[in-house]
Amino acid sequence: MSWYENSVIYQIYPLGLTGAPYENDFVSEPNPRLLQLIDHGWIEHMAKLGVTCLILNPVFESSTHGYDTADYRMVDRRLGTMDDLRRVVEACHAQGIRVLLDGVFNHVGRNFWAFLDVKEHRQESPYVDWFEIWWDGDTEWHDGFSYTTWEGVPYLIKLNHSSMSLNNYLAETIRYWEHELGIDGLRLDVAYCLDRGFLSYLRDVANSISEERQDPFVLVGETMFGDYNQWMGDRACHSVTNYEAYKGLWSSMNEANMHEIAYALNRQSGSEPWDLYTGAHLLNFVDNHDVPRIATRLNDKRQLRALYGLLFAMCGVPCVYYGSEWGVEGEQNFGDHEIRPAFEHPEWNDLTDYIAQLAAIRHEGHAGQEALAWGDYRQIAVGPQHLIFQRTSEHERLIVAINASDTAQVFHFDAGCGKAQELITGKEHDFGGGSEVAPFTACYWLCER
């Protein structure tokens, strides 16, 4: 078992939240915007919400959005310094919150220091094999050579992980981050693009760090499609992002077709031999820095409670994107600025209260925590706007009911017992005569046996 498996994760895109300029001028003095996380109450907010792990999207020197890295060993001057980042990590740790940084190892930006050396010294550069260079080509910048890019984006230069010099540099960089900052792991950007051998190499690095610190150093890979087992396992990431379920979560509500998400959950975590990820702990989410805000994506915002109730009850690890816990909206347009906004301070409302209640149930020692973190999955009933399933661990059995409709629903099923405790409200529940679930909500029934 790892601390990660029982986590409640919060994701922040710091260049957006702190209101940093979109472009880096590379000459300004560092601006300690990162300290807003401390000074403006974000870390206290996360603790109150029940968060136990923070994913910080890119924080290292880059040209624009953070994924066009210029220097892996320097905090982006728009955010501050290594000392500022260290203070943030220490403040999180003081609140019992782990920290994962964004490891962007598939590509770099045109201002990356080693690429600048190649531009200057060409074939004589000691870093020439860090990239896939074509000397008979050219670019729109008239470099006199061309290179492999990420997804055809001309300013994102793909790294060549056939170079052990590059891989050793990145391994030393990860060790530097862990030693200097005390971070607890990495989110691996576009892990589905990374060379499998390099991914295995990164796992060796993580395992070595884990052994040295006597505490798991976790790798969470960004994956979108295909069989996630390609990027998750003993020789790859500990966990990956669950985009398959993400799509099913919101579209099941919009289309009044809970069969879609029910199929996905059973396919991922069921007990049949062909089920794909049973026992794994995928990273689950309803929005993030790359997709529309869930309050915008949902056709009926009243379904937010039911949706978060499902997110926190399904197999895997729940993740909340900053601002969405109080219902912030944002459409995805060019540049992603609307989904990565700046906020002066965190806010709190009834939705935030509800999510905090759900998060508390997943905390160590809380009734139902064991079943939610490590329980199996068995579907009980599914309809157009409802889903009922069971999570059973060694010592607990929890029945979850989701009602995404605008009317109360009474469900009749064999619960295998007479009574339960409803964990969200704390009330005792009697299964005799049917089980009522209020509109747009969820029930977590911890069975008496």
Side-chain angles (χ1 to χ4, degrees):
M1 292 183 185
S2 163
W3 59 264
Y4 171 81
E5 297 170 354
N6 193 41
S7 292
V8 174
I9 296 180
Y10 195 76
Q11 181 191 359
I12 287 177
Y13 180 79
L15 288 168
L17 181 147
T18 63
Y22 183 69
E23 294 187 2
N24 189 340
D25 63 12
F26 293 106
V27 296
S28 296
E29 289 297 311
N31 187 315
R33 291 184 175 92
L34 265 177
L35 296 183
Q36 291 179 29
L37 300 185
I38 299 174
D39 299 337
H40 294 189
W42 287 93
I43 295 175
E44 287 83 356
H45 173 78
M46 286 187 283
K48 181 181 177 184
L49 190 63
V51 170
T52 60
C53 178
L54 168 65
I55 292 178
L56 270 180
N57 289 127
V59 293
F60 296 105
E61 189 85 312
S62 73
S63 300
T64 55
H65 45 55
Y67 292 99
D68 46 0
T69 308
D71 193 330
Y72 287 108
R73 301 191 185 182
M74 178 184 295
V75 169
D76 197 302
R77 68 191 65 230
R78 294 170 291 171
L79 295 174
T81 65
M82 284 291 284
D83 285 340
D84 297 327
L85 180 55
R86 185 182 300 108
R87 285 182 59 188
V88 169
V89 174
E90 289 173 350
C92 285
H93 285 170
Q95 294 281 359
I97 299 171
R98 307 273 191 159
V99 179
L100 304 184
L101 295 185
D102 212 335
V104 187
F105 301 141
N106 181 71
H107 50 264
V108 294
R110 286 182 52 84
N111 286 307
F112 183 54
W113 61 269
F115 180 74
L116 295 179
D117 191 88
V118 171
K119 284 183 63 178
E120 180 178 357
H121 298 106
R122 299 177 66 81
Q123 289 99 325
E124 301 304 315
S125 171
Y127 312 109
V128 69
D129 69 334
W130 287 20
F131 314 97
E132 296 176 358
I133 301 290
W134 312 100
W135 297 107
D136 57 352
D138 204 355
T139 67
E140 61 189 86
W141 294 276
H142 305 297
D143 294 314
F145 60 87
S146 60
Y147 46 79
T148 304
T149 64
W150 177 74
E151 299 288 340
V153 180
Y155 61 86
L156 294 181
I157 307 163
K158 194 176 189 310
L159 293 172
N160 174 28
H161 291 295
S162 295
S163 167
M164 283 311 299
S165 171
L166 167 67
N167 295 343
N168 289 337
Y169 164 77
L170 293 175
E172 291 168 4
T173 297
I174 294 169
R175 291 183 176 280
Y176 172 73
W177 293 347
E178 193 278 332
H179 181 265
E180 292 296 317
L181 302 168
I183 61 169
D184 302 287
L186 300 173
R187 171 206 181 260
L188 296 179
D189 182 57
V190 295
Y192 60 93
C193 294
L194 293 175
D195 177 86
R196 305 295 170 78
F198 176 63
L199 202 56
S200 177
Y201 177 81
L202 288 180
R203 182 57 179 263
D204 285 339
V205 173
N207 288 347
S208 175
I209 295 173
S210 299
E211 185 175 349
E212 291 168 7
R213 59 190 262 153
Q214 293 297 295
D215 188 55
F217 188 84
V218 174
L219 302 179
V220 180
E222 181 189 20
T223 53
M224 295 185 179
F225 42 76
D227 182 352
Y228 297 150
N229 288 310
Q230 299 174 81
W231 305 285
M232 177 176 59
D234 292 341
R235 301 302 309 148
C237 301
H238 297 83
S239 176
V240 296
T241 55
N242 193 357
Y243 267 89
E244 176 188 352
Y246 156 70
K247 193 273 179 181
L249 284 166
W250 61 263
S251 63
S252 291
M253 302 253 170
N254 282 353
E255 303 300 325
N257 179 24
M258 295 294 282
H259 292 275
E260 179 185 358
I261 188 60
Y263 174 81
L265 296 182
N266 204 50
R267 174 179 178 270
Q268 290 188 341
S269 304
S271 58
E272 300 295 341
W274 51 81
D275 292 328
L276 292 174
Y277 317 122
T278 302
H281 287 74
L282 305 184
L283 180 68
N284 302 320
F285 57 93
V286 295
D287 55 7
N288 61 32
H289 67 306
D290 286 327
V291 298
R293 291 281 180 166
I294 190 59
T296 296
R297 178 73 89 175
L298 277 183
N299 295 337
D300 189 340
K301 296 172 182 57
R302 294 177 297 173
Q303 293 176 324
L304 281 170
R305 285 187 172 226
L307 184 57
Y308 276 105
L310 179 52
L311 175 71
F312 275 77
M314 60 192 280
C315 296
V317 177
C319 182
V320 177
Y321 184 46
Y322 80 101
S324 290
E325 70 271 26
W326 66 82
V328 163
E329 295 195 45
E331 189 52 83
Q332 186 177 27
N333 294 307
F334 181 77
D336 293 328
H337 304 296
E338 290 87 349
I339 58 177
R340 304 172 180 180
F343 296 118
E344 183 68 21
H345 298 282
E347 298 180 25
W348 198 280
N349 60 17
D350 289 344
L351 177 61
T352 326
D353 259 334
Y354 184 72
I355 293 173
Q357 287 178 292
L358 300 175
I361 298 170
R362 296 190 69 108
H363 283 192
E364 191 78 33
H366 195 289
Q369 173 267 335
E370 180 187 279
L372 289 176
W374 296 290
D376 61 13
Y377 177 88
R378 183 177 70 84
Q379 183 178 301
I380 294 175
V382 61
Q385 292 190 288
H386 74 266
L387 174 62
I388 304 173
F389 57 89
Q390 179 175 279
R391 304 288 312 280
T392 304
S393 62
E394 182 179 359
H395 303 105
E396 293 182 329
R397 186 165 63 90
L398 186 71
I399 294 176
V400 176
I402 308 296
N403 180 12
S405 74
D406 60 1
T407 59
Q409 300 291 317
V410 178
F411 301 107
H412 298 272
F413 57 90
D414 183 5
C417 65
K419 294 183 179 181
Q421 180 188 12
E422 206 291 298
L423 297 180
I424 301 173
T425 63
K427 296 180 179 179
E428 185 176 285
H429 178 72
D430 192 331
F431 288 110
S435 298
E436 182 173 320
V437 182
F440 303 120
T441 194
C443 288
Y444 292 3
W445 293 308
L446 183 64
C447 298
E448 60 184 355
R449 60 178 175 84

Short mmCIF file of all heavy atoms in Angstrom, two decimals, residues 240-267:
data_model
loop_
_atom_site.label_atom_id
_atom_site.label_comp_id
_atom_site.label_asym_id
_atom_site.label_seq_id
_atom_site.Cartn_x
_atom_site.Cartn_y
_atom_site.Cartn_z
N VAL A 240 -2.25 6.39 -13.44
CA VAL A 240 -2.41 7.23 -14.64
C VAL A 240 -3.75 7.94 -14.57
O VAL A 240 -4.65 7.58 -13.81
CB VAL A 240 -2.34 6.38 -15.93
CG1 VAL A 240 -0.98 5.73 -16.09
CG2 VAL A 240 -3.46 5.33 -15.95
N THR A 241 -3.90 8.96 -15.41
CA THR A 241 -5.15 9.73 -15.46
C THR A 241 -6.23 8.94 -16.18
O THR A 241 -5.98 8.31 -17.21
CB THR A 241 -4.93 11.07 -16.16
OG1 THR A 241 -4.36 10.85 -17.46
CG2 THR A 241 -3.99 11.96 -15.35
N ASN A 242 -7.45 9.02 -15.67
CA ASN A 242 -8.55 8.18 -16.14
C ASN A 242 -9.47 8.98 -17.07
O ASN A 242 -10.60 9.34 -16.69
CB ASN A 242 -9.32 7.63 -14.94
CG ASN A 242 -10.27 6.52 -15.33
OD1 ASN A 242 -10.41 6.18 -16.50
ND2 ASN A 242 -10.93 5.95 -14.33
N TYR A 243 -9.01 9.26 -18.28
CA TYR A 243 -9.83 10.02 -19.22
C TYR A 243 -11.04 9.24 -19.71
O TYR A 243 -12.05 9.84 -20.09
CB TYR A 243 -8.98 10.49 -20.40
CG TYR A 243 -8.40 11.86 -20.20
CD1 TYR A 243 -7.16 12.03 -19.59
CD2 TYR A 243 -9.09 13.00 -20.61
CE1 TYR A 243 -6.62 13.29 -19.39
CE2 TYR A 243 -8.57 14.26 -20.42
CZ TYR A 243 -7.33 14.41 -19.81
OH TYR A 243 -6.81 15.67 -19.60
N GLU A 244 -10.95 7.93 -19.73
CA GLU A 244 -12.11 7.13 -20.15
C GLU A 244 -13.29 7.40 -19.23
O GLU A 244 -14.40 7.68 -19.68
CB GLU A 244 -11.78 5.64 -20.15
CG GLU A 244 -12.98 4.77 -20.49
CD GLU A 244 -12.73 3.28 -20.31
OE1 GLU A 244 -11.57 2.90 -20.08
OE2 GLU A 244 -13.69 2.51 -20.41
N ALA A 245 -13.06 7.33 -17.94
CA ALA A 245 -14.15 7.58 -16.99
C ALA A 245 -14.54 9.05 -16.98
O ALA A 245 -15.72 9.38 -16.78
CB ALA A 245 -13.75 7.13 -15.59
N TYR A 246 -13.58 9.95 -17.19
CA TYR A 246 -13.91 11.38 -17.23
C TYR A 246 -15.02 11.65 -18.24
O TYR A 246 -16.01 12.32 -17.94
CB TYR A 246 -12.66 12.20 -17.60
CG TYR A 246 -12.99 13.54 -18.21
CD1 TYR A 246 -13.54 14.56 -17.43
CD2 TYR A 246 -12.79 13.78 -19.57
CE1 TYR A 246 -13.88 15.79 -18.01
CE2 TYR A 246 -13.12 15.00 -20.14
CZ TYR A 246 -13.67 16.00 -19.36
OH TYR A 246 -14.02 17.20 -19.92
N LYS A 247 -14.87 11.13 -19.43
CA LYS A 247 -15.88 11.37 -20.45
C LYS A 247 -17.22 10.77 -20.03
O LYS A 247 -18.27 11.40 -20.15
CB LYS A 247 -15.41 10.78 -21.78
CG LYS A 247 -16.24 11.23 -22.99
CD LYS A 247 -17.46 10.35 -23.23
CE LYS A 247 -18.28 10.83 -24.42
NZ LYS A 247 -19.49 10.00 -24.64
N GLY A 248 -17.18 9.54 -19.50
CA GLY A 248 -18.42 8.89 -19.10
C GLY A 248 -19.12 9.59 -17.95
O GLY A 248 -20.35 9.61 -17.87
N LEU A 249 -18.34 10.19 -17.04
CA LEU A 249 -18.94 10.84 -15.88
C LEU A 249 -19.87 11.97 -16.28
O LEU A 249 -21.02 12.03 -15.84
CB LEU A 249 -17.83 11.37 -14.96
CG LEU A 249 -17.12 10.32 -14.10
CD1 LEU A 249 -15.83 10.90 -13.50
CD2 LEU A 249 -18.03 9.81 -13.00
N TRP A 250 -19.41 12.88 -17.14
CA TRP A 250 -20.27 14.02 -17.49
C TRP A 250 -21.29 13.69 -18.58
O TRP A 250 -22.42 14.16 -18.54
CB TRP A 250 -19.45 15.25 -17.86
CG TRP A 250 -18.54 15.12 -19.03
CD1 TRP A 250 -17.20 14.86 -19.00
CD2 TRP A 250 -18.88 15.27 -20.41
NE1 TRP A 250 -16.69 14.82 -20.28
CE2 TRP A 250 -17.70 15.08 -21.16
CE3 TRP A 250 -20.06 15.57 -21.09
CZ2 TRP A 250 -17.66 15.16 -22.55
CZ3 TRP A 250 -20.04 15.64 -22.49
CH2 TRP A 250 -18.86 15.43 -23.20
N SER A 251 -20.90 12.86 -19.55
CA SER A 251 -21.85 12.59 -20.63
C SER A 251 -22.98 11.68 -20.17
O SER A 251 -24.11 11.77 -20.69
CB SER A 251 -21.13 12.00 -21.85
OG SER A 251 -20.56 10.75 -21.56
N SER A 252 -22.74 10.83 -19.16
CA SER A 252 -23.82 10.01 -18.61
C SER A 252 -24.90 10.89 -18.01
O SER A 252 -26.10 10.58 -18.09
CB SER A 252 -23.28 9.05 -17.56
OG SER A 252 -22.48 8.06 -18.14
N MET A 253 -24.48 11.98 -17.39
CA MET A 253 -25.44 12.91 -16.79
C MET A 253 -26.14 13.73 -17.88
O MET A 253 -27.37 13.88 -17.87
CB MET A 253 -24.72 13.84 -15.82
CG MET A 253 -23.98 13.13 -14.70
SD MET A 253 -24.80 13.32 -13.12
CE MET A 253 -23.89 12.15 -12.11
N ASN A 254 -25.39 14.24 -18.84
CA ASN A 254 -25.98 15.08 -19.88
C ASN A 254 -26.97 14.32 -20.76
O ASN A 254 -27.97 14.88 -21.21
CB ASN A 254 -24.88 15.67 -20.77
CG ASN A 254 -24.19 16.85 -20.12
OD1 ASN A 254 -24.59 17.32 -19.07
ND2 ASN A 254 -23.12 17.33 -20.76
N GLU A 255 -26.68 13.05 -21.01
CA GLU A 255 -27.52 12.26 -21.91
C GLU A 255 -28.53 11.40 -21.18
O GLU A 255 -29.25 10.63 -21.83
CB GLU A 255 -26.62 11.37 -22.79
CG GLU A 255 -25.58 12.11 -23.61
CD GLU A 255 -26.22 13.10 -24.58
OE1 GLU A 255 -27.30 12.79 -25.10
OE2 GLU A 255 -25.62 14.18 -24.80
N ALA A 256 -28.62 11.54 -19.85
CA ALA A 256 -29.51 10.67 -19.05
C ALA A 256 -29.26 9.21 -19.43
O ALA A 256 -30.19 8.44 -19.71
CB ALA A 256 -30.98 11.04 -19.26
N ASN A 257 -27.99 8.84 -19.41
CA ASN A 257 -27.58 7.49 -19.79
C ASN A 257 -26.48 7.01 -18.85
O ASN A 257 -25.31 6.94 -19.24
CB ASN A 257 -27.10 7.47 -21.25
CG ASN A 257 -26.66 6.08 -21.68
OD1 ASN A 257 -27.09 5.07 -21.11
ND2 ASN A 257 -25.79 6.01 -22.67
N MET A 258 -26.86 6.69 -17.61
CA MET A 258 -25.88 6.23 -16.65
C MET A 258 -25.31 4.87 -17.01
O MET A 258 -24.33 4.42 -16.41
CB MET A 258 -26.51 6.19 -15.25
CG MET A 258 -26.90 7.55 -14.70
SD MET A 258 -25.47 8.63 -14.38
CE MET A 258 -24.89 7.92 -12.84
N HIS A 259 -25.89 4.23 -18.02
CA HIS A 259 -25.32 2.96 -18.48
C HIS A 259 -23.91 3.16 -19.02
O HIS A 259 -23.08 2.26 -18.95
CB HIS A 259 -26.22 2.35 -19.56
CG HIS A 259 -27.55 1.89 -19.06
ND1 HIS A 259 -27.74 0.65 -18.50
CD2 HIS A 259 -28.75 2.52 -19.03
CE1 HIS A 259 -29.02 0.52 -18.15
NE2 HIS A 259 -29.65 1.65 -18.45
N GLU A 260 -23.62 4.35 -19.56
CA GLU A 260 -22.29 4.59 -20.12
C GLU A 260 -21.22 4.52 -19.03
O GLU A 260 -20.23 3.80 -19.17
CB GLU A 260 -22.24 5.96 -20.80
CG GLU A 260 -20.86 6.26 -21.37
CD GLU A 260 -20.73 7.65 -21.96
OE1 GLU A 260 -21.72 8.39 -21.97
OE2 GLU A 260 -19.61 7.98 -22.43
N ILE A 261 -21.40 5.28 -17.95
CA ILE A 261 -20.38 5.26 -16.90
C ILE A 261 -20.40 3.92 -16.16
O ILE A 261 -19.35 3.43 -15.73
CB ILE A 261 -20.54 6.44 -15.92
CG1 ILE A 261 -19.35 6.51 -14.95
CG2 ILE A 261 -21.86 6.37 -15.15
CD1 ILE A 261 -18.00 6.70 -15.62
N ALA A 262 -21.58 3.30 -16.04
CA ALA A 262 -21.65 2.00 -15.39
C ALA A 262 -20.84 0.96 -16.15
O ALA A 262 -20.11 0.15 -15.56
CB ALA A 262 -23.11 1.54 -15.28
N TYR A 263 -20.92 1.02 -17.48
CA TYR A 263 -20.13 0.09 -18.31
C TYR A 263 -18.65 0.33 -18.10
O TYR A 263 -17.86 -0.62 -17.95
CB TYR A 263 -20.50 0.27 -19.77
CG TYR A 263 -19.64 -0.53 -20.71
CD1 TYR A 263 -19.87 -1.89 -20.93
CD2 TYR A 263 -18.55 0.06 -21.35
CE1 TYR A 263 -19.06 -2.63 -21.78
CE2 TYR A 263 -17.72 -0.68 -22.19
CZ TYR A 263 -17.99 -2.02 -22.41
OH TYR A 263 -17.18 -2.75 -23.23
N ALA A 264 -18.25 1.61 -18.10
CA ALA A 264 -16.82 1.94 -17.94
C ALA A 264 -16.30 1.47 -16.59
O ALA A 264 -15.20 0.90 -16.50
CB ALA A 264 -16.61 3.43 -18.12
N LEU A 265 -17.06 1.74 -15.52
CA LEU A 265 -16.60 1.36 -14.18
C LEU A 265 -16.48 -0.16 -14.06
O LEU A 265 -15.53 -0.67 -13.45
CB LEU A 265 -17.54 1.91 -13.12
CG LEU A 265 -17.63 3.44 -13.02
CD1 LEU A 265 -18.58 3.84 -11.88
CD2 LEU A 265 -16.26 4.06 -12.83
N ASN A 266 -17.43 -0.88 -14.62
CA ASN A 266 -17.39 -2.34 -14.54
C ASN A 266 -16.23 -2.88 -15.38
O ASN A 266 -15.52 -3.81 -14.96
CB ASN A 266 -18.71 -2.93 -15.01
CG ASN A 266 -18.97 -4.30 -14.43
OD1 ASN A 266 -18.86 -4.51 -13.22
ND2 ASN A 266 -19.29 -5.26 -15.29
N ARG A 267 -16.02 -2.29 -16.55
CA ARG A 267 -14.93 -2.71 -17.43
C ARG A 267 -13.57 -2.43 -16.79
O ARG A 267 -12.62 -3.20 -16.95
CB ARG A 267 -15.04 -1.95 -18.75
CG ARG A 267 -13.91 -2.15 -19.73
CD ARG A 267 -14.20 -1.34 -21.00
NE ARG A 267 -13.14 -1.45 -21.99
CZ ARG A 267 -12.10 -0.64 -22.07
NH1 ARG A 267 -11.97 0.35 -21.20
NH2 ARG A 267 -11.19 -0.79 -23.01
#
